[in-house]
Amino acid sequence: TPAPPATQVVFFFAKHSSDAKTGEQSFTWTAENPVSGVLTDVSFNKGKSKLVFRLTINGVAYIAKRCYSLGGESKVSILANRDQLTKEGITLGRTNFFLKNFKQECDSEGIEISGKLILPLLAFDVTDFALVREGTVTTESFIPSPASGLAPSEYSDLLEAEKAELAADSNILSSITWLIERQRGDVQLWKYSGTLDHPSYSDKQGATINLFQHYVYLFSRKTLVLADIQASESHDKHSHTSILFDLMSHTINGESGAGDHGEQGIKSFVDQHNCVQKCAQMGLEALREREDGESEDEEGTSG
């Protein structure tokens, strides 16, 4: 099979930092260490809001995502795409912060599942990712990649203030933002929740996700709920770790990105969550009283 058409692209990476105490995420654009990669001209996958392209950097396979729809009929602008992918990066970074604290809590509490600690069985990690932009030095003409969906005129027509907002520094022109991850290939996928749908699970992995959602809600002081939780196998075939990706969240202010239903979204989780046995073992506050008067333990013998 012939290789799909592709284009050599120069990328500038955002520096990502996460506050170890608060979980606050920040991204800073710089002109340091640009990297050249080969980006396919045509997407190979498509979600509700993003197109997915193949990318190779230094012989390593990645996927690159950009937004094509944010719920309206109009084309997603350069700045709107940047803002949405940045919010997605913040959600992924915050989830990683929550997960690290969750694992530490499980370890310190010595919570057992079938005679073993949760921690060895909790084979979940958050995807490694980076935010990058196509760009060039200002002394060169700038031609957006075919994958970007931009015509050169669309960048030229930006207001000067918008160009300044996109610039990594005064010597760099940057345009379309991409969220990139390591390619995981043809791997199994698992879906644990939807945007407003939070099922209960009796298997160990599903029950652990239920527990993790409960933990995040309380750890965030009831200001955030994880949604649209899905996982895939790792790109490392020798790893038994599942990788969480494409996460969404509901927040009090409703500003964490596409699909954030604000307080309504948080309420949907509170109304639907059925505690598993380990919620009580971890000492997590019950979210509501069961109307039928039964125990909150829905995990069953398989959990």
Side-chain angles (χ1 to χ4, degrees), residues 1 5 20 24 28 34 49 51 77 80 119 130 132 136 141 148-149 158 164 174 214 218 224 232 259 291:
T1 304
E24 182 177 353
T28 305
S49 64
L51 295 172
S77 71
L119 188 60
V132 302
T136 184
S141 60
S148 73
L158 286 173
S174 59
H214 190 166
L218 296 180
L224 183 148
S232 73
E291 293 181 359

Side-chain angles (χ1 to χ4, degrees), residues 40-71:
T40 57
D41 295 344
V42 179
S43 63
F44 74 94
N45 203 350
K46 181 179 182 180
K48 291 181 180 179
S49 64
K50 293 188 288 292
L51 295 172
V52 187
F53 298 77
R54 299 190 190 279
L55 169 66
T56 304
I57 298 177
N58 296 327
V60 179
Y62 294 84
I63 58 171
K65 306 176 184 179
R66 68 167 174 85
C67 298
Y68 73 90
S69 172
L70 292 177

Side-chain angles (χ1 to χ4, degrees), residues 52-282:
V52 187
F53 298 77
R54 299 190 190 279
L55 169 66
T56 304
I57 298 177
N58 296 327
V60 179
Y62 294 84
I63 58 171
K65 306 176 184 179
R66 68 167 174 85
C67 298
Y68 73 90
S69 172
L70 292 177
E73 295 183 2
S74 61
K75 182 176 180 179
V76 178
S77 71
I78 295 174
L79 294 178
N81 175 72
R82 177 207 60 184
D83 292 344
Q84 174 57 34
L85 293 183
T86 300
K87 289 177 178 180
E88 183 172 330
I90 289 171
T91 297
L92 290 170
R94 292 185 75 181
T95 303
N96 193 43
F97 167 77
F98 292 136
L99 187 57
K100 286 180 178 178
N101 283 276
F102 177 66
K103 289 181 178 181
Q104 291 172 1
E105 186 76 12
C106 289
D107 194 29
S108 64
E109 291 292 329
I111 299 173
E112 294 186 351
I113 293 182
S114 302
K116 295 183 179 180
L117 293 175
I118 276 184
L119 188 60
L121 295 175
L122 180 62
F124 289 101
D125 280 317
V126 179
T127 184
D128 289 330
F129 72 96
L131 292 179
V132 302
R133 285 186 187 153
E134 293 184 24
T136 184
V137 294
T138 54
T139 55
E140 300 175 5
S141 60
F142 179 70
I143 301 176
S145 71
S148 73
L150 296 174
S153 60
E154 291 181 73
Y155 183 78
S156 303
D157 290 344
L158 286 173
L159 300 176
E160 290 303 316
E162 293 175 326
K163 289 184 181 180
E165 192 177 341
L166 284 167
D169 71 14
S170 59
N171 297 316
I172 299 297
L173 290 175
S174 59
S175 66
I176 194 73
T177 301
W178 297 92
L179 189 150
I180 67 172
E181 306 171 49
R182 284 286 300 273
Q183 182 174 307
R184 291 184 288 278
D186 185 16
V187 294
Q188 185 173 355
L189 301 177
W190 298 274
K191 183 83 169 180
Y192 292 103
S193 70
T195 303
L196 296 171
D197 181 33
H198 305 279
S200 298
Y201 294 93
S202 60
D203 65 285
K204 290 175 182 177
Q205 285 195 327
T208 302
I209 288 291
N210 291 155
L211 173 64
F212 180 51
Q213 281 186 286
H214 190 166
Y215 174 86
V216 168
Y217 172 63
L218 296 180
F219 191 78
S220 68
R221 299 182 180 179
K222 303 182 180 180
T223 63
L224 183 148
V225 162
L226 292 177
D228 203 30
I229 298 177
Q230 52 193 320
S232 73
E233 293 176 282
S234 170
H235 60 79
D236 180 359
K237 293 298 184 181
H238 299 290
S239 172
H240 297 292
T241 301
S242 301
I243 305 298
L244 303 180
F245 69 102
D246 274 352
L247 297 169
M248 292 167 43
S249 61
H250 302 300
T251 58
I252 290 294
N253 62 19
E255 296 179 355
S256 71
D260 187 337
H261 289 255
E263 293 187 12
Q264 177 193 355
I266 292 176
K267 185 176 185 297
S268 71
F269 170 71
V270 173
D271 289 346
Q272 295 176 44
H273 176 73
N274 290 316
C275 282
V276 293
Q277 185 180 25
K278 302 307 177 287
C279 292
Q281 285 186 254
M282 187 176 273

